Amino acid sequence: MISWLRKILPAGNRAQASRARSVDPGQPFVVNLYDDRLVVHRPDGQREELEWDVIERVVVRVSNREPWAGKAWLILVGDPKSNGTPRGCVVPLDAANHAALLERLQAFPGFNQQKLDNALSDAAAGKHRTDANCWKRGAQPAESDAMDAMDTMGNASNDSNPFAQPGSAHEPGKH
């Protein structure tokens, strides 16, 4: 049986099937929201999942570096698993169902809409900016501003964030 399959399947097709699929920029990220979690389906077929109650921070990124260039992205950072493995989701703000995701995040107490609006304006104008924390669990709005200042000083290049690489082998939330 196996020899018969080898005869009908050219060797090139078997090798291609084992490689990871490339991302088609024409295909969108898709966000599905549930009562207890969100699931992000990526164009490369992978998915990220994060429970609402483990989200620790909501960060907005606008960068001129690939793969971020030209879009505003949300980075949802979850608390680490018990073994220390980071968790999170990365979602471009043009993902299918992004409006429902934003509505849910904007309902978080203390969500900083102004930071999100500024990032969206910069993205539309083709500008880049440092990452902005739109929300942090337990933080008051004034604390969020101080946290942004510390993040900016501590990260010369926010684009190196391990959550920040769609397609990275170390990306949290992959299943």
Side-chain angles (χ1 to χ4, degrees):
M1 177 78 157
I2 292 175
S3 63
W4 178 76
L5 286 172
R6 286 186 180 144
K7 288 178 185 176
I8 64 169
L9 291 175
N13 285 349
R14 286 193 305 267
Q16 285 178 338
S18 67
R19 286 188 218 139
R21 294 184 296 186
S22 62
V23 175
D24 177 357
Q27 295 296 312
F29 280 67
V30 178
V31 179
N32 291 319
L33 307 177
Y34 301 94
D35 290 339
D36 61 337
R37 70 190 186 289
L38 74 137
V39 178
V40 178
H41 298 274
R42 297 171 22 162
D44 62 4
Q46 295 181 20
R47 68 182 224 145
E48 300 170 327
E49 186 172 329
L50 192 62
E51 298 83 15
W52 296 114
D53 62 353
V54 301
I55 297 176
E56 293 291 322
R57 284 191 303 153
V58 177
V59 178
V60 63
R61 172 171 292 178
V62 178
S63 177
N64 60 354
R65 294 179 57 191
E66 292 296 332
W68 306 98
K71 296 181 182 182
W73 294 76
L74 287 177
I75 303 168
L76 307 175
V77 181
D79 66 346
K81 292 183 178 183
S82 60
N83 65 3
T85 304
R87 294 192 274 185
C89 291
V90 180
V91 184
L93 281 172
D94 63 354
N97 206 22
H98 75 277
L101 173 61
L102 279 178
E103 185 177 322
R104 180 78 185 247
L105 295 174
Q106 290 163 336
F108 285 8
F111 185 87
N112 191 323
Q113 184 64 42
Q114 185 62 46
K115 289 183 182 184
L116 178 62
D117 292 342
N118 291 345
L120 293 174
S121 294
D122 285 351
K127 298 178 183 177
H128 68 279
R129 62 182 303 127
T130 59
D131 289 351
N133 287 290
C134 295
W135 181 81
K136 181 179 178 187
R137 182 175 301 281
Q140 300 302 317
E143 291 177 44
S144 180
D145 292 339
M147 183 177 61
D148 280 344
M150 289 188 329
D151 284 350
T152 301
M153 290 185 291
N155 296 319
S157 173
N158 289 326
D159 292 329
S160 64
N161 182 329
F163 292 110
Q165 301 297 330
S168 164
H170 301 291
E171 188 172 355
K174 276 190 188 175
H175 295 272

